[in-house]
Amino acid sequence: MVDPDPADGGDPSESDPVVAAIFDAVAATAPEIRAALPGRRVESGTDNPSGESVLAGDLYADELLADALTAVDGVGSFVSEERETAVDAGGAVGEGAYAVAIDPLDGSSNLRSNNAMGTVVGVYDAPLPATGRDLVAAGYVLYGPITTMIVADEEGVREEVVERESNGSGSRSVVEDDLTLPDDPLVYGFGGRVPDWPADFTAFAREIEDELKLRYGGAMVGDVNQVLTYGGLFAYPALVDAPEGKLRLSFEANPIAYIVERAGGAATDGDTDILDVEPEGVHDRVPLYVGNEGLVKRLEDALADG
Ligand code: AFP
């Protein structure tokens, strides 16, 4: 991945005009979401369908993205980590219209500590709950020192810089048009508390700690972006008291697995490719191990040998 230089940015290149319109809409909202964050670091007093407390920033991002995405021709429904049910946008999903699944503000607990966070996007050609094989595109916005967006589709994976226009809307330009995982892994980031890791994962983690550099920031989008940039492995593992882990399949694991696999990597729930995991519900959780193929294979062998 070359250093992003907006001055050399190129035009977005999705061949599917609806996918292009979806990521145009996501980029358009990014500056307004980013500008709203300083004033929305407080608890909203509500919980999401996963039972997690919701910050005002989560709700604001969810509302903006719902308005922007349900207005896109070709979007049939808007499904959010923050909502129990889908928002009907008109159009038959899977019969010419897409379902857009959103984690509006992934890593929102980083808002108080002013660390990276972002928005995760999955574009499904089937009503949810669906498997990752029904994804036609996926991406994420990363609110870091600069605002970037990763977009993956059948053409591959691109990194874009999102810039604020004079009218307040966001525009996107490609700064890396063929993003692939580096061959030699450099970093790792494993979530959850070490005492809650099962013994087989703990033993695997000890091996990796001797080989790679720790990069864990508490927001999946930021930690996965480290892996996409430098090569390595991100995991939010199965835990002793939470064998399904923490991350949601529809809104987090599937889109990230789609992106990383298109970039030449792999993603598993411990023994099955994430994209093949059959969900029962839209808010199902799943363990996620994602990154360089060789590391993912080593992880699966370590858990199989348990
Ligand atoms: P929040 O959105 O509540 O901050 O959770 C972020 C997240 O879902 C994911 O982005 C991180 O990888 C993971 O949770 C971090 O979880 P821990 O706080 O348990 O490390």
Side-chain angles (χ1 to χ4, degrees):
M1 176 190 283
V2 297
D3 291 339
D5 176 354
D8 297 340
D11 293 334
S13 60
E14 294 78 31
S15 58
D16 180 328
V18 177
V19 168
I22 287 168
F23 284 99
D24 285 344
V26 173
T29 62
E32 194 171 347
I33 290 172
R34 185 171 190 130
L37 294 178
R40 287 176 172 79
R41 303 170 79 177
V42 296
E43 297 285 340
S44 66
T46 60
D47 289 351
N48 67 15
S50 299
E52 297 161 332
S53 67
V54 174
L55 292 185
D58 291 302
L59 296 181
Y60 185 75
D62 180 66
E63 286 298 326
L64 271 184
L65 288 158
D67 292 345
L69 289 165
T70 52
V72 173
D73 284 343
V75 172
S77 76
F78 172 86
V79 197
S80 167
E81 184 182 282
E82 308 304 345
R83 297 172 189 245
E84 192 63 54
T85 57
V87 176
D88 181 10
V93 175
E95 296 165 32
Y98 294 139
V100 180
I102 296 284
D103 179 356
L105 207 51
D106 173 69
S108 56
S109 57
N110 274 354
L111 195 44
R112 283 179 56 197
S113 60
N114 191 30
N115 279 283
M117 69 195 74
T119 297
V120 187
V121 183
V123 184
Y124 292 86
D125 192 12
L128 272 67
T131 76
R133 298 296 174 193
D134 290 314
L135 283 167
V136 297
Y140 58 81
V141 176
L142 178 56
Y143 296 111
I146 57 174
T147 303
T148 55
M149 187 157 74
I150 297 292
V151 180
D153 60 11
E154 61 186 21
E155 273 89 42
V157 186
R158 296 169 294 284
E159 182 183 39
E160 303 175 351
V161 168
V162 178
E163 294 185 286
R164 188 181 188 279
E165 298 299 305
S166 54
N167 64 2
S169 181
S171 63
R172 60 191 179 111
S173 54
V174 177
V175 293
E176 169 55 63
D177 64 5
D178 182 21
L179 195 156
T180 56
L181 272 172
D183 292 335
D184 298 327
L186 184 61
V187 300
Y188 77 97
F190 298 157
R193 295 177 65 254
V194 175
D196 296 335
W197 292 349
D200 51 7
F201 180 72
T202 302
F204 171 77
R206 292 290 174 262
E207 286 177 25
I208 296 299
E209 287 165 355
D210 288 342
E211 298 170 23
L212 304 180
K213 293 201 291 186
L214 173 60
R215 288 292 183 273
Y216 187 79
M220 177 189 64
V221 287
D223 297 328
V224 167
N225 211 56
Q226 292 266 21
V227 169
L228 271 181
T229 305
Y230 297 113
L233 188 68
F234 168 80
Y236 203 101
L239 303 175
V240 170
D241 57 356
E244 295 310 310
K246 176 181 182 184
L247 302 178
R248 274 65 36 146
L249 178 69
S250 302
F251 309 103
E252 293 164 308
N254 268 340
I256 292 302
Y258 180 91
I259 293 164
V260 174
E261 292 194 7
R262 312 262 350 129
T268 181
D269 69 352
D271 60 30
T272 303
D273 187 318
I274 286 284
L275 299 181
D276 292 323
V277 173
E278 291 280 354
E280 291 175 11
V282 170
H283 296 281
D284 284 9
R285 297 176 190 268
V286 67
L288 174 64
Y289 313 86
V290 60
N292 284 69
E293 200 163 7
L295 291 172
V296 170
K297 180 69 173 66
R298 273 177 61 185
L299 174 279
E300 287 185 325
D301 293 346
L303 299 191
D305 298 347

